[in-house]
Amino acid sequence: MADQVFNLKVLINALCCISGISCYQNNAPTKIKEAESALLTWENLNPTAYAINLIKVTIAPLDPYVQIPRMAAILALKAMVGRKWKDRGRANKNIMLLDDNTKGQIRNMLLSIITIGAFNGSLIADQDLSISLIRDKALMKTVASLISKIARLDLPLQFQELVPTLVGFSLGSNPPLDNWVAVETRLNTANALEAVFAEICTKRLLVDKKYVISVAQTYLSDLMEKGLGYSMEQLKIAESGSLTVVIEYATILAKIVHHLLLVSLSSLVDGARKGGSVYDLQETPAKAIDKVFGLLLSYIPLLRGHLVSKTTTDVNCINEGLKDLLKEFYELVVTTQKAHP
């Protein structure tokens, strides 16, 4: 397979083979190994062409007769990013890295997928494709994971539009809960933002910590008020069918706030003590924790009220979501206190 002339068709065949889609009559282990070997060969011979074609597969138009291996393409791209994005100090001249233009196309494509074309409508303009991507939750989670991997490699010196873009889509417009496309898009971008913070908040260099602190200074208040606070307010008006979505969104925002507080709280407090310009949330550790924890306590009666007169399935599903939300709040309080005694 590796000796075939590389093009989009042979790439799709190889991706179908390794993902179990029946492009061959018999996807025997030898065929899968041949496909894996071919992918590595194409990646090494021409990483730019290989990456661009993986992008094309990921956002290929729907075809009623062909199953597009989008997940396999994203996973192959994720593996490639680990090998071809930067040399990580190895200075190996034999390794062909991705050029800046190709990296830019990959970044734009990923943001376009996670925002369903709103970031760059020219990449995903087909409505049927957009709906198909939204419904593929596994693919969206993998895209979020790839975005976070690139964020760890790029930030804070490159990909500087990433965090503002994801924050904007995570908090923006407050769509009605019956507009499932807009609601799911906001969930997807919030998930990607949480994955990004989970990555960059563990980086140890001073420049990385300063970047996280600057992000907290800029966005923490909005994430609390427009994100977490808004989601709690929505519980007052949400129908039973929308409760799980609201709780999921609240849990994601709680995780985001958790990541930022763990890294930045002490710096934000020092800034307040020195008379710097800070948000109310940032004045003291106790006030920050009280504000987060107080939101949860104030809405427990509301959440309990929503559990009344629901079917057993509804109650079980909502209870699981509430358990996750409660757990996140408890962990936020305990781990923040431990990190900033």
Side-chain angles (χ1 to χ4, degrees):
M1 186 179 293
D3 57 357
Q4 292 181 285
V5 176
F6 178 72
N7 54 45
L8 188 61
K9 182 178 179 179
V10 298
L11 175 61
I12 290 176
N13 286 339
L15 293 172
C16 285
C17 183
I18 64 172
S19 58
I21 300 173
S22 298
C23 283
Y24 299 96
Q25 292 182 347
N26 180 18
N27 280 338
T30 54
K31 289 287 187 181
I32 295 175
K33 288 182 179 180
E34 288 178 6
E36 291 174 342
S37 176
L39 292 175
L40 283 174
T41 299
W42 296 331
E43 174 188 312
N44 289 324
L45 288 176
N46 193 335
T48 295
Y50 180 69
I52 295 300
N53 278 280
L54 288 175
I55 292 173
K56 290 180 179 179
V57 173
T58 305
I59 59 175
L62 297 177
D63 188 328
Y65 304 106
V66 178
Q67 186 174 351
I68 306 297
R70 303 183 199 279
M71 176 66 82
I74 285 292
L75 290 173
L77 187 59
K78 185 177 181 181
M80 182 186 190
V81 164
R83 294 186 287 261
K84 301 293 186 179
W85 201 261
K86 57 170 53 177
D87 62 12
R88 302 187 184 214
R90 292 185 293 250
N92 190 338
K93 295 182 179 180
N94 295 323
I95 297 178
M96 293 178 61
L97 300 177
L98 290 169
D99 57 60
D100 290 339
N101 180 61
T102 305
K103 289 180 183 179
Q105 291 186 57
I106 292 172
R107 296 184 189 107
N108 288 340
M109 181 273 290
L110 294 174
L111 285 178
S112 187
I113 290 176
I114 210 70
T115 62
I116 309 302
F119 176 74
N120 187 342
S122 63
L123 285 178
I124 304 178
D126 184 273
Q127 185 176 7
D128 291 336
L129 175 58
S130 297
I131 292 173
S132 177
L133 292 175
I134 291 174
R135 287 175 173 166
D136 194 338
K137 292 186 178 295
L139 179 67
M140 285 298 181
K141 287 183 179 180
T142 307
V143 170
S145 176
L146 176 51
I147 289 173
S148 69
K149 184 171 186 175
I150 293 175
R152 187 176 184 91
L153 295 170
D154 279 357
L155 292 174
L157 301 180
Q158 296 175 303
F159 210 1
Q160 295 175 349
E161 71 274 20
L162 172 62
V163 170
T165 298
L166 292 180
V167 171
F169 280 98
S170 297
L171 302 180
S173 72
N174 295 332
L177 294 175
D178 59 354
N179 184 346
W180 74 271
V181 172
V183 170
E184 289 294 332
T185 300
R186 188 168 65 171
L187 279 176
N188 290 334
T189 53
N191 265 317
L193 185 63
E194 190 276 326
V196 168
F197 285 147
E199 282 286 348
I200 66 175
C201 287
T202 60
K203 297 176 74 174
R204 298 181 179 276
L205 294 179
L206 181 59
V207 65
D208 298 318
K209 292 184 177 181
K210 286 183 176 180
Y211 174 72
V212 174
I213 292 169
S214 71
V215 169
Q217 290 171 334
T218 304
Y219 298 114
L220 189 55
S221 182
D222 283 344
L223 289 166
M224 279 296 304
E225 300 295 343
K226 297 179 182 179
L228 195 55
Y230 165 79
S231 64
M232 291 299 188
E233 288 294 328
Q234 284 295 297
L235 290 172
K236 293 180 179 179
I237 60 174
E239 300 292 336
S240 60
S242 303
L243 281 175
T244 53
V245 174
V246 174
I247 293 169
E248 181 183 359
Y249 181 66
T251 304
I252 296 169
L253 268 293
K255 290 180 179 180
I256 292 171
V257 171
H258 191 175
H259 292 313
L260 292 178
L261 284 179
L262 279 177
V263 175
S264 64
L265 185 56
S266 60
S267 297
L268 298 174
V269 171
D270 288 342
R273 289 172 179 168
K274 294 174 182 177
S277 176
V278 295
Y279 299 108
D280 290 341
L281 178 67
Q282 303 166 356
E283 289 181 356
T284 65
K287 192 165 186 177
I289 293 172
D290 286 347
K291 194 164 188 177
V292 173
F293 196 57
L295 277 173
L296 176 64
L297 294 178
S298 66
Y299 282 98
I300 283 179
L302 174 64
L303 296 175
R304 290 173 60 87
H306 275 290
L307 298 178
V308 178
S309 301
K310 303 292 188 300
T311 66
T312 303
T313 302
D314 288 336
V315 171
N316 289 339
C317 183
I318 293 171
N319 276 339
E320 288 303 312
L322 289 175
K323 287 177 184 178
D324 291 339
L325 181 57
L326 286 165
K327 180 181 178 182
E328 186 55 42
F329 270 92
Y330 295 151
E331 289 183 351
L332 191 157
V333 172
V334 172
T335 56
T336 302
Q337 286 179 329
K338 286 183 177 179
H340 307 280

